[in-house]
Amino acid sequence: MNNTTGETKAELTYAVVFGTIMSIGFPLNAIAIWILLRHHSLKSPNVIFMLNLAISDLLLACSLPLKVYYHATGAWPLGYTTCIGVALMFNVNIYSSSIFITFISVDRLLAVVYPLRSRHIRTARNAVKAVILTWLLLIVIAILVCIEFGKHWKLYTESFCVKHQRNTITETTTESHMSDPSRIVQLILVLVLLVVNVVSTVLVSLTLRRNVKDLPEVNNRVNVMLLFVMSLIMFFVCFLPKTIGSFMKDELTYLKCIVATNCCLDPVLYYFSLDAFWKKKEERKP
């Protein structure tokens, strides 16, 4: 009885956490998209990356109401297909957010460390190409995940993608879970992108030790460094624990709660990354 009561309280806690994240993340990212489209030029690579990051986070927030319902009621009435759809919207966000955050960091790295030599690289056309390739990659990953789920669907409950595997899973299936290609690819991708962000942070930090007057692309040294600090926090707190935790036999739900918070934290990047984020285009310096 105590165990049942404890599990019920835990599920209600998860419902409250996901509900809170949804109520904060959805309006923040919706407003961010509106501001980026209305007040900023899409000729800026940084704006293009942030717009796509906000879209990715908005998709994540859209998946949370169904998670709230499941954890609050313990029931999943929407069927297997919808369940997988929610899982994809939730899990693909780790790929998309980590990639777009890295694009933002690399763009700032080039602007600060190589302001003149990188002008032909930091163009809107190249940014659009990078975004298109990223979404194509995400579609391929989503297809591979669906195929992997389909191989073992008989061994799972309908709601496995929002909670955990059934206790009747065989040892062979557990080994397959541990060697799931999508999880391995996710771990490699997150680690590689983390290294890129760490290197970018170090190079920018060393460059900013010089006189800021020598760096025409830098208007606020503190904001620049806070952007990189926020990016690293996102990786170490949100993405890496969830990615490593996905290899556990029973993936912990609280890790999913933590990774979901990135949709609330990402809008902070927009403020640090763009000068005069709230100002209209005609109010900013040319």
Side-chain angles (χ1 to χ4, degrees):
M1 180 67 68
N2 291 335
N3 289 337
T4 303
T5 303
E7 290 179 1
T8 301
K9 289 182 178 179
E11 292 299 315
L12 290 176
T13 300
Y14 294 141
V16 171
V17 172
F18 281 128
T20 303
I21 294 172
M22 174 192 67
S23 63
I24 296 174
F26 188 90
L28 279 181
N29 286 283
I31 292 171
I33 292 173
W34 181 79
I35 292 174
L36 289 169
L37 289 174
R38 183 176 176 83
H39 295 170
H40 293 273
S41 172
L42 292 181
K43 295 180 180 180
S44 167
N46 217 20
V47 172
I48 293 173
F49 294 142
M50 285 186 287
L51 178 62
N52 282 270
L53 177 60
I55 292 173
S56 171
D57 289 337
L58 194 64
L59 292 175
L60 170 64
C62 288
S63 73
L64 295 182
L66 297 179
K67 281 185 171 292
V68 172
Y69 178 86
Y70 173 78
H71 289 290
T73 65
W76 186 262
L78 301 177
Y80 179 79
T81 302
T82 304
C83 191
I84 289 183
V86 172
L88 286 176
M89 290 175 66
F90 189 87
N91 292 318
V92 167
N93 177 263
I94 296 180
Y95 293 99
S96 57
S97 290
S98 60
I99 291 173
F100 290 131
I101 287 173
T102 303
F103 281 158
I104 294 172
S105 296
V106 172
D107 178 76
R108 293 296 84 193
L109 165 70
L110 294 175
V112 173
V113 182
Y114 309 105
L116 298 179
R117 283 182 288 175
S118 66
R119 285 184 176 178
H120 68 286
I121 300 176
R122 296 178 55 248
T123 64
R125 176 173 296 184
N126 287 338
V128 170
K129 290 179 181 178
V131 166
I132 292 175
L133 289 175
T134 297
W135 285 112
L136 289 175
L137 173 63
L138 295 174
I139 292 173
V140 171
I141 291 173
I143 293 173
L144 293 176
V145 171
C146 286
I147 293 174
E148 189 64 27
F149 283 169
K151 290 180 181 178
H152 307 293
W153 71 271
K154 291 182 179 180
L155 299 174
Y156 295 92
T157 61
E158 276 191 337
S159 58
F160 82 92
C161 56
V162 292
K163 189 179 180 185
H164 52 66
Q165 300 164 252
R166 282 197 316 192
N167 295 328
T168 56
I169 297 177
T170 63
E171 185 65 27
T172 302
T173 306
T174 301
E175 293 175 0
S176 175
H177 169 79
M178 295 294 292
S179 60
D180 183 351
S182 66
R183 290 178 171 84
I184 296 174
V185 170
Q186 186 180 94
L187 177 61
I188 294 174
L189 178 66
V190 169
L191 289 176
V192 170
L193 295 179
L194 174 59
V195 170
V196 172
N197 278 270
V198 170
V199 172
S200 299
T201 302
V202 172
L203 291 177
V204 170
S205 177
L206 293 174
T207 302
L208 289 179
R209 289 183 179 180
R210 301 182 311 192
N211 194 336
V212 179
K213 293 181 181 180
D214 297 331
L215 304 172
E217 296 289 339
V218 178
N219 296 323
N220 191 316
R221 186 198 307 239
V222 175
N223 277 11
V224 171
M225 287 311 304
L226 283 176
L227 181 147
F228 286 97
V229 170
M230 285 298 301
S231 298
L232 292 180
I233 289 175
M234 223 79 71
F235 273 88
F236 282 113
V237 175
C238 296
F239 303 141
L240 196 57
K242 168 64 172 64
T243 303
I244 295 175
S246 66
F247 288 90
M248 299 172 63
K249 182 177 179 180
D250 294 315
E251 189 176 346
L252 301 176
T253 305
Y254 77 84
L255 292 178
K256 297 180 181 180
C257 295
I258 293 175
V259 76
T261 59
N262 87 88
C263 74
C264 300
L265 296 176
D266 284 340
V268 180
L269 290 175
Y270 313 147
Y271 175 80
F272 291 140
S273 184
L274 287 178
D275 294 323
F277 176 67
W278 295 95
K279 295 182 180 180
K280 295 182 179 180
K281 285 182 279 190
E282 61 268 18
E283 294 177 341
R284 299 198 309 272
K285 294 181 180 179

